[in-house]
């Protein structure tokens, strides 16, 4: 009866409340729903536990998840199909003593890693050295790259704030209600330059949506301009021949300033990403930035990004050796272009002090370069927790994590049907 009840819940997806009726129909025995729930959450036999056992690979990834006043430590073997190797819930501010007790428990269970992967938290180095003196402590390059991108994003924002602003004459504004327009105002000249730029991009074969993204104009404005006649060259809508106020030296037009401003606003993600994944539109934006007075600074930022990526991957996608990565790193940090900007200079100096803790994974093919295994387990816990409000107490979290670590399925939301008829699937971790 015990096995039939478990099969009814696990394989047939019958909720706990309906399982007694199913058992009464098939076997003329009707236990209570509470009894079925207790059967389901009870530990399985030793054979089932043995089937879930996997040999430790020697690589251990550790991360923490925070739930208000609780800290949840997760230890994951990235080469094991089990979601967790060990977990611990700490109802307090996470301290080195808590971390040491967690590692000592792993050590008592026979877990002696050759490589330990963590983020850049300052809690780990002293504790790891104390518990496992011989372990290779690998810091996650992904977290270092994330911090680097945040610093470079601030550089891009500084560039955008420093762009020249088109002059506006407050005494000469466009007229309203049929009054004569000031045909020689800088505003009219800028509008004419913007219209010429829209027509030029349209003649180059770009769609209206692409023109909107490049110039920053509204879609209705672009449609209106393209539907009308093209203004004469050198005039404000064909009505004036007086030149507009010129931009600062180095800039060809105020339209170029607008394009650079739009490329730096809201598009820093692709500029700091991999060039191989750029779209044609993004390549066009990059060309606009290179042709501007900011071109040399943009090249410097790209040299920093591409040099960082080359530390961990060869052009063919293979891992380099530690010696190759060290040689490339020594040449990369000495690039004189990085010394011209204070932000990039300090960033390179910080990376130089962390390199020895980022490169160990290149010495072993099975070692992990990032802490993604533990990060995925933490994200899975968040997804699993989202639809279950009561999965926030220490007891419920410990029970569910222990069940997952042992391979015992313990759903809080059984498979069934909701009121509206949509399927309710068990939230898998």
């Amino acid at each position: 009866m015990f096995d039939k009840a478990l099969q009814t819940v696990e394989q047939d997806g019958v909720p706990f409340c309906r399982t007694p009726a199913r058992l009464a129909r098939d076997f003329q025995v009707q236990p209570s729903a509470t009894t079925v729930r207790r059967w389901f959450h009870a530990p399985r036999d030793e054979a089932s536990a043995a089937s879930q056992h996997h040999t430790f690979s020697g690589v251990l990834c550790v991360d923490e998840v925070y739930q208000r006043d609780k800290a949840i430590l997760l230890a994951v073997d990235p080469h094991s199909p089990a979601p967790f190797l060990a977990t611990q819930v700490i109802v307090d501010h996470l301290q080195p003593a808590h971390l040491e007790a967690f590692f000592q428990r792993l050590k008592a269970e026979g877990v002696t890693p050759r490589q330990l992967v963590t983020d850049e938290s300052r809690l780990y180095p002293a504790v790891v050295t104390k518990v496992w003196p011989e372990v290779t402590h690998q810091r996650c390059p992904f977290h270092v790259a994330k911090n680097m991108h945040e610093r470079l994003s601030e550089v891009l924002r500084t560039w955008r704030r420093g762009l020249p602003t088109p002059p506006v004459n407050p005494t000469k504004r466009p007229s309203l209600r049929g009054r004569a327009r000031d045909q020689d105002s800088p505003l009219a000249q800028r509008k004419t330059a913007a219209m010429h730029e829209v027509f030029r991009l349209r003649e180059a074969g770009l769609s209206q949506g692409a023109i909107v993204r490049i110039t920053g104009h509204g879609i209705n404005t672009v449609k209106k301009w393209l539907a009308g006649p093209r203004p004469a060259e050198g005039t404000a809508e064909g009505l004036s021949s007086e030149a507009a106020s010129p931009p600062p030296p180095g800039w060809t037009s105020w339209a170029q300033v607008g394009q650079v401003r739009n490329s730096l606003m809201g598009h820093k993600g692709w500029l700091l990403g991999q060039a191989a994944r750029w779209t044609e539109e993004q390549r066009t934006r990059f060309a606009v930035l290179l042709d501007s007075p900011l071109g040399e600074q943009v090249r410097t930022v790209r040299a920093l990004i591409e040099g960082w990526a080359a530390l961990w991957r060869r052009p063919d996608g293979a891992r380099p050796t530690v010696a190759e990565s060290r040689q490339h790193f020594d040449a990369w940090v000495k690039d004189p272009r990085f010394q011209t900007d204070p932000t990039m200079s300090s960033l390179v100096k910080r990376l130089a002090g962390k390199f020895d803790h980022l490169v160990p994974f290149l010495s072993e093919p099975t070692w992990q370069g990032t802490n993604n295994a533990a990060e995925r387990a933490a994200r899975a816990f968040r997804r699993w927790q989202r639809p279950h409000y009561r999965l926030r107490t220490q007891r419920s979290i410990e029970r569910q994590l222990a069940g997952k670590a042992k391979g015992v399925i313990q759903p809080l939301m059984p498979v069934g049907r909701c009121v509206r008829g949509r399927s309710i699937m068990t939230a898998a971790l």
Side-chain angles (χ1 to χ4, degrees), residues 127-163:
V127 177
V128 171
T129 304
K130 182 177 181 181
V131 179
W132 291 302
E134 303 298 329
V135 72
T136 301
H137 189 189
Q138 169 78 45
R139 272 67 159 189
C140 180
F142 174 80
H143 291 82
V144 178
K146 181 181 177 181
N147 296 334
M148 179 177 65
H149 283 189
E150 291 177 355
R151 298 285 298 276
L152 293 179
S153 297
E154 182 59 34
V155 172
L156 298 183
R157 285 191 289 268
T158 303
W159 291 354
R160 183 174 176 273
R161 298 189 194 104
L163 291 176

Side-chain angles (χ1 to χ4, degrees), residues 10 40-44 48-49 51-54 72-77 80-88 376-378 380-385 388 391 395-413 425-429:
E10 290 183 354
F40 192 80
H41 291 316
R44 308 300 171 86
S48 176
S51 64
Q52 299 293 335
H53 176 71
H54 298 277
I72 304 153
L73 293 173
L74 305 175
V76 180
D77 181 358
S80 173
F84 303 119
L85 185 63
T87 60
Q88 183 173 346
R376 282 193 296 266
F381 173 76
R382 288 299 189 196
R383 290 194 301 269
W384 185 35
Q385 185 186 42
H388 306 299
L391 187 55
R395 176 178 177 274
S396 62
I397 293 175
E398 288 179 346
R399 186 186 66 177
Q400 297 297 327
L401 291 180
K404 284 296 179 181
K406 295 178 181 178
V408 179
I409 304 175
Q410 298 188 11
L412 292 181
M413 181 188 296
M425 302 303 296
T426 302
L429 182 62

